[in-house]
Amino acid sequence: MSRKTSSVAVYCSLNMGTLVTGTAATYVEELWINTDKRYEIMCITQDVQNVIKQSGITDGIVLVNPMHITASCYVNDLESGLHHDIMNWLGKLAPFYGADGKSGEEYHHHQTGEDNGDAHLKRQLLGQQVTMAVKNGQLHLGTWEQIHYAEFDGMRNKRILVKVVGIIAQ
Amino acid sequence: MSRKTSSVAVYCSLNMGTLVTGTAATYVEELWINTDKRYEIMCITQDVQNVIKQSGITDGIVLVNPMHITASCYVNDLESGLHHDIMNWLGKLAPFYGADGKSGEEYHHHQTGEDNGDAHLKRQLLGQQVTMAVKNGQLHLGTWEQIHYAEFDGMRNKRILVKVVGIIAQ
Amino acid sequence: MSRKTSSVAVYCSLNMGTLVTGTAATYVEELWINTDKRYEIMCITQDVQNVIKQSGITDGIVLVNPMHITASCYVNDLESGLHHDIMNWLGKLAPFYGADGKSGEEYHHHQTGEDNGDAHLKRQLLGQQVTMAVKNGQLHLGTWEQIHYAEFDGMRNKRILVKVVGIIAQ
């Protein structure tokens, strides 16, 4: 862990950047999703890419945001072992207690009749949403970056908002 | 938890998206806030909506970012039981130790004279900031999505940055 | 913790906002970074500012996103004690187990031959990425906000994507 407290020079060339101008544009789509299980992780990279292609927007950003508060959109490895590790880890740090809860441990949220208090917390821990870059009409990703949807209260219809904001290059 | 490692088809129609073009515009406002308590959660959805309306920007995104590093802006349920659960949960995973700390547990950050080490960590755990979509001059929200400000070192003047980036539709 | 469930009036004037229009533009650069240690935190505020200046974009937002899934970009205090606290805290909540793991505790991700399961989780806990505001060609920051890069599997070449989206004021 670094003890440096001043800004560190990053080994970058400031001549490599790319400026693009054009017509300002936004595009939005709501994707519908319904998972087979209560807890499930799905890769949605290609779905997001399809929306970008459909939009015609060439450069900008794309916001990928679950429209429900018991799910996450996040970026990490597309690897089933890691998917298991993520769910296992979230289960330890934000446990499921069910509708009845446990003495001294239950979520107050369950007093409303819900049993998904853990889902509301897991979503915050894993990350609510991601914003990714768009370049030349494509997701601008690192080698291993994959966009995922993590469901913590599934088996029902839910929506993912995909909003593209940027330009149509001239 | 899914064992699928290939991209999953999301049940969406790619013909539902909406493209909007217009004049590129940005708008920024700093909201001031001063909570009654050291730890407090407030819903700011309407405040963010007011800024969007004032901006005149019709489509794009809005960044909601605390300008202080001991607070979070996040999206989740507007339900007092959940607010309690969130604060209780954060208190377990990133405990308050006070100015003196406890043997072997104190935060090194407290060597600067601060006593808010827990606040700096809680902010990261709950989520630093959110970016939400704007459509037709309104926040584009799911049914239960509400924007919140979570304060972990309050009873002083703080600011929330609201930045709208998008277009004024032609 | 607040029991209020209605929207709270924030003490803001809605006349203070600033609207800027101009030519829509985006700019992107990939910064290269290679840390001395496996775990390290670096402040990159000035590096991000340099990209913004180079872009010529005057108002908008900047996305700062690690292009690798074992690192975070986050905003918090530039203070070495806090840097220590962050790494220590992450180590407790998402421990390193090494290539061999420990009985009953190992990450399934390590079955692929990797030993960085902890890094994939730490990244989610600390926060994957940040989006910050740009005003008059400068980062629009609060007094103590500093952009950091946190590396959890370093000593190799990695990239940070800096994407500026906004306008060139007329």
Side-chain angles (χ1 to χ4, degrees), chain C residues 54-114:
Chain C
Q54 187 76 10
S55 76
I57 293 175
T58 53
D59 288 87
I61 52 168
V62 57
L63 168 67
V64 185
N65 181 60
M67 299 184 74
H68 303 259
I69 51 187
T70 50
S72 289
C73 291
Y74 75 95
V75 168
N76 213 314
D77 204 0
L78 176 50
E79 196 277 302
S80 62
L82 181 63
H83 292 181
H84 173 275
D85 294 338
I86 287 172
M87 280 295 187
N88 186 55
W89 177 65
L90 294 174
K92 285 182 185 172
L93 295 184
F96 172 70
Y97 287 123
D100 298 332
K102 294 179 184 176
S103 175
E105 296 273 16
E106 71 274 19
Y107 297 119
H108 286 207
H109 183 53
H110 292 181
Q111 296 170 9
T112 64
E114 296 282 355

Side-chain angles (χ1 to χ4, degrees), chain A residues 1-5 7-8 10-22 24 59-61 74-77 79 81-82 84-86 89 92-93 108 125-126 129-134 140-145 167, chain C residues 3 24-32 36-37 39-44 46-47 50-51 54-55 61 63 65-67 69 78 80 83-84 87 93-94 105 107-109 112 120-121 123-125 128-129 159 161 163 165:
Chain A
M1 205 273 320
S2 175
R3 280 281 165 182
K4 297 163 186 163
T5 55
S7 182
V8 174
V10 177
Y11 303 109
C12 64
S13 161
L14 283 177
N15 298 314
M16 293 170 62
T18 305
L19 180 71
V20 183
T21 58
D59 288 86
I61 52 167
Y74 75 95
V75 168
N76 212 315
D77 203 0
E79 196 277 303
L82 180 65
H84 172 275
D85 294 338
I86 287 173
W89 177 65
K92 286 182 184 171
L93 295 184
H108 285 206
L125 180 48
L126 188 58
Q129 59 179 206
V130 289
T131 300
M132 304 305 289
V134 176
H140 187 162
L141 299 175
T143 308
W144 302 104
E145 285 189 301
I167 62 181
Chain C
R3 280 280 164 183
T26 76
Y27 188 86
V28 66
E29 185 148 17
E30 298 178 2
L31 305 178
W32 287 90
D36 294 336
K37 299 174 186 171
Y39 299 92
E40 193 160 344
I41 292 176
M42 287 179 161
C43 180
I44 59 169
Q46 190 56 51
D47 302 288
N50 289 345
V51 173
Q54 187 76 10
S55 76
I61 52 168
L63 168 67
N65 181 60
M67 299 184 74
I69 51 187
L78 176 50
S80 62
H83 292 181
H84 173 275
M87 280 295 187
L93 295 184
E105 296 273 16
Y107 297 119
H108 286 207
H109 183 53
T112 64
H120 289 283
L121 302 183
R123 154 194 166 79
Q124 299 302 135
L125 179 48
Q128 304 163 81
Q129 59 179 206
R159 287 177 291 167
L161 183 144
K163 181 91 181 189
V165 175

